[in-house]
Amino acid sequence: MAGITGIGSGLNINEIVTALVNAEKAPKTNQLNNLEKQTTTRISAIGTLMGAMNSFKTALDALNKPSLFEARTASTSNSSVLKATAVTTAPAGTYGVQVQQLAASSKVALQSVSGVGSAAATFNSGTLEISAGSTSISVDVTAANNTLAGMRDAINEAGKGSGISATIITDDSGSRLVLSSTKTGEGNDIQVAVTEDGETTGGNALTTQAFTPEADPDNAGAFLKPSSDSGAGGVISQAKSAKLTIDGLQLVRDSNKIEDALEGVTLDLVAAQSTADLTDGKTISLTVGVDKSSVKSNLQKFVDAYNALITSSAQLTAVVEVEGSKPVAGPLVGDSTVRSVLAGLRNEIVKMTGGGESGVRALADLGITTGKDGKLSLDDATLTKALDSNFDQVGGYLTGSDGLMGRLSGFVSSYVATDGVLKQRDSALRGTLKNIDSQRESLNKRVESLETRLFAQYNAMDSLVGQLKRTSDSLSGMLANLPGFVRKDK
């Protein structure tokens, strides 16, 4: 824009040029603004439709998995005693299980050291060989660690990879080491062999810490317990194997997690049954079956996602009457793509397939029907009956490239894939936005050129008018000074 203008003519050239420029710019600007608003609205609408279709496709793909119909469940009649899980290889069936004994690990107390400050008592140096079944560790006792605390720390360091650990307990007889093992199963009781090397002499012989479980003469099959009176060592808990029966067949395992008893089934023993239940022959029912709940859940998600797509489509194509004003139309009213999507989905959903007279041929056989509003509803009783009587046929009807979910997923993909119809439309609309930006830049350049030209023209006119005015004033002065010129004063 020029500087101070209109001095010669007295005209407000700035206002004149601005008005002319705005008059030239306004129609095209309004056109571009309207196009940009419409394009942005349609991009948002296409995005909403794509979002609903992608959610629907996710539900379709979740159902289009043969593994969903191969999954197995395992349940027990008493989960406080027995829990179970199953993989796809597990055959369906029901079993009677008795849990007679849990697997347990070994825990022993060594000979105590008596007297005041017994926890800090010292021992002769040497080596502790600690074993739990086939697992063993070696601990060197030296002048640096020949106390209960020192030996405890050395045992914990040496045994951290083999599940052997130590702690110190002080009872009425004094302080002692208590050793524990994580290794379960009969024959894995802790034993300690000791060898003294004579290099360091302490207040107690290291050999007092040697330990071999001794049978309890008063309790067949058990070991002697530690004594708080004499300080003698003993077995706190004995290593045991798990014992159970499945349909009357006896099993003995070293772990409470049993994976090799029933094909594809993992048993987790939580507790042993009471003596009374075992005496009465009571069993825990273990049932292995197909996973119907997951199929039901995924079918409900399919119904919900389809209904959400129908709702979104209806909102995007709705025409809402407004009293006293023009109707408000949705951004995709009359859009052929929306009509094609809905028509294609409905055609696939109502299509009848194989399965025979008594098999699954349509969604209605699974309790899924279409209402007057175009939405789906699911009847749980009908679905349950279909799953109970035709579980394999349900999987065959829904899964695979020729199954309903496969066909629907392929149809939806043709719209939402990277080269799909909706993606192409979205790209085209975004191209329109870029073109609008380019047109705005061109318009601004054209308007700037027009403004420059108008200022040049009006300033030239203003300069000419100024010159003519000055010439007129000069002539008037010269005429007034001519001889015989009589000036008539007002």
Side-chain angles (χ1 to χ4, degrees):
M1 184 177 289
I4 300 175
T5 60
I7 296 176
S9 63
L11 297 174
N12 191 333
I13 294 175
N14 283 341
E15 288 187 0
I16 294 172
V17 172
T18 299
L20 291 172
V21 168
N22 288 341
E24 177 71 20
K25 183 179 181 180
K28 186 63 175 179
T29 299
N30 290 337
Q31 179 189 17
L32 293 176
N33 288 344
N34 290 335
L35 180 58
E36 182 177 47
K37 181 179 179 181
Q38 293 173 3
T39 304
T40 301
T41 300
R42 292 183 74 84
I43 288 175
S44 177
I46 293 295
T48 299
L49 181 60
M50 286 179 62
M53 293 187 71
N54 277 318
S55 296
F56 182 52
K57 188 176 186 303
T58 298
L60 295 174
D61 292 341
L63 268 171
N64 190 25
K65 292 181 178 178
S67 59
L68 177 66
F69 296 87
E70 296 170 356
R72 295 292 182 266
T73 60
S75 60
T76 68
S77 59
N78 190 344
S79 59
S80 63
V81 173
L82 175 66
K83 295 180 179 180
T85 56
V87 297
T88 58
T89 57
T94 302
Y95 309 88
V97 181
Q98 277 192 334
V99 181
Q100 302 158 332
Q101 176 178 289
L102 292 184
S105 58
S106 174
K107 189 173 188 179
V108 302
L110 304 187
Q111 172 70 46
S112 66
V113 180
S114 61
V116 178
S118 57
T122 59
F123 293 83
N124 298 338
S125 61
T127 303
L128 301 176
E129 294 288 343
I130 304 172
S131 62
S134 60
T135 300
S136 65
I137 61 172
S138 180
V139 177
D140 291 329
V141 178
T142 67
N145 66 356
N146 66 335
T147 61
L148 287 179
M151 290 190 293
R152 175 201 61 197
D153 294 342
I155 292 169
N156 288 335
E157 177 63 26
K160 61 185 179 181
S162 55
I164 295 175
S165 61
T167 187
I168 298 174
I169 291 181
T170 300
D171 57 23
D172 292 344
S173 67
S175 299
R176 67 175 84 212
L177 287 173
V178 174
L179 307 182
S180 301
S181 169
T182 59
K183 191 172 184 179
T184 57
E186 187 175 344
N188 291 317
D189 293 288
I190 294 174
Q191 300 187 48
V192 182
V194 177
T195 302
E196 293 190 3
D197 57 20
E199 293 183 5
T200 300
T201 301
N204 297 274
L206 186 61
T207 53
T208 60
Q209 301 303 295
F211 179 82
T212 299
E214 294 184 30
D216 186 348
D218 299 324
N219 187 359
F223 294 127
L224 288 174
K225 297 291 185 180
S227 171
S228 296
D229 296 327
S230 65
V235 173
I236 297 174
S237 62
Q238 187 175 346
K240 296 179 181 179
S241 296
K243 294 181 180 180
L244 67 157
T245 64
I246 299 178
D247 287 346
L249 302 175
Q250 184 71 52
L251 286 82
V252 178
R253 297 291 188 272
D254 286 344
S255 172
N256 290 317
K257 181 181 287 293
I258 302 171
E259 300 176 326
D260 61 350
L262 291 171
E263 181 186 0
V265 179
T266 297
L267 303 177
D268 288 299
L269 309 187
V270 181
Q273 292 174 261
S274 66
T275 302
D277 284 351
L278 293 173
T279 300
D280 292 341
K282 292 183 178 180
T283 62
I284 298 168
S285 178
L286 166 64
T287 303
V288 179
V290 293
D291 188 5
K292 299 173 186 175
S293 62
S294 293
V295 175
K296 281 188 174 183
S297 174
N298 279 284
L299 278 170
Q300 185 62 60
K301 291 177 182 178
F302 158 75
V303 170
D304 294 341
Y306 180 83
N307 291 343
L309 175 57
I310 295 299
T311 299
S312 294
S313 300
Q315 292 172 347
L316 295 173
T317 58
V319 177
V320 181
E321 297 291 337
V322 179
E323 187 176 353
S325 181
K326 292 182 179 180
V328 177
L332 298 180
V333 168
D335 192 289
S336 61
T337 301
V338 179
R339 292 197 302 270
S340 297
V341 167
L342 297 182
L345 291 177
R346 286 166 183 155
N347 286 339
E348 290 294 347
I349 285 175
V350 301
K351 185 181 296 183
M352 300 285 286
T353 60
E357 291 295 328
S358 61
V360 178
R361 299 177 298 164
L363 281 178
D365 295 326
L366 302 180
I368 299 175
T369 55
T370 306
K372 293 181 180 180
D373 57 358
K375 294 183 179 180
L376 300 177
S377 61
L378 189 153
D379 181 73
D380 185 72
T382 304
L383 176 58
T384 299
K385 183 178 179 181
L387 293 176
D388 288 342
S389 59
N390 293 305
F391 188 82
D392 292 337
Q393 286 193 20
V394 173
Y397 168 72
L398 295 175
T399 64
S401 58
D402 294 329
L404 176 61
M405 297 302 128
R407 300 197 310 271
L408 287 173
S409 181
F411 176 80
V412 173
S413 291
S414 67
Y415 285 87
V416 299
T418 54
D419 57 348
V421 174
L422 292 179
K423 284 286 188 178
Q424 291 177 6
R425 290 193 59 184
D426 181 77
S427 298
L429 289 169
R430 293 185 185 278
T432 299
L433 285 182
K434 290 182 179 180
N435 182 258
I436 291 173
D437 292 338
S438 298
Q439 291 188 59
R440 288 189 191 281
E441 291 179 5
S442 298
L443 177 61
N444 289 334
K445 290 179 180 179
R446 188 168 72 251
V447 166
E448 288 176 4
S449 177
L450 174 63
E451 185 180 56
T452 300
R453 187 172 71 255
L454 288 174
F455 269 115
Q457 291 173 346
Y458 274 92
N459 285 335
M461 179 272 295
D462 183 66
S463 177
L464 178 60
V465 170
Q467 290 176 6
L468 292 174
K469 185 176 181 181
R470 288 192 296 275
T471 300
S472 175
D473 291 342
S474 176
L475 289 173
S476 295
M478 292 174 64
L479 291 172
N481 293 325
L482 288 174
F485 180 81
V486 179
R487 181 175 179 179
K488 294 181 179 180
D489 296 326
K490 294 183 179 180

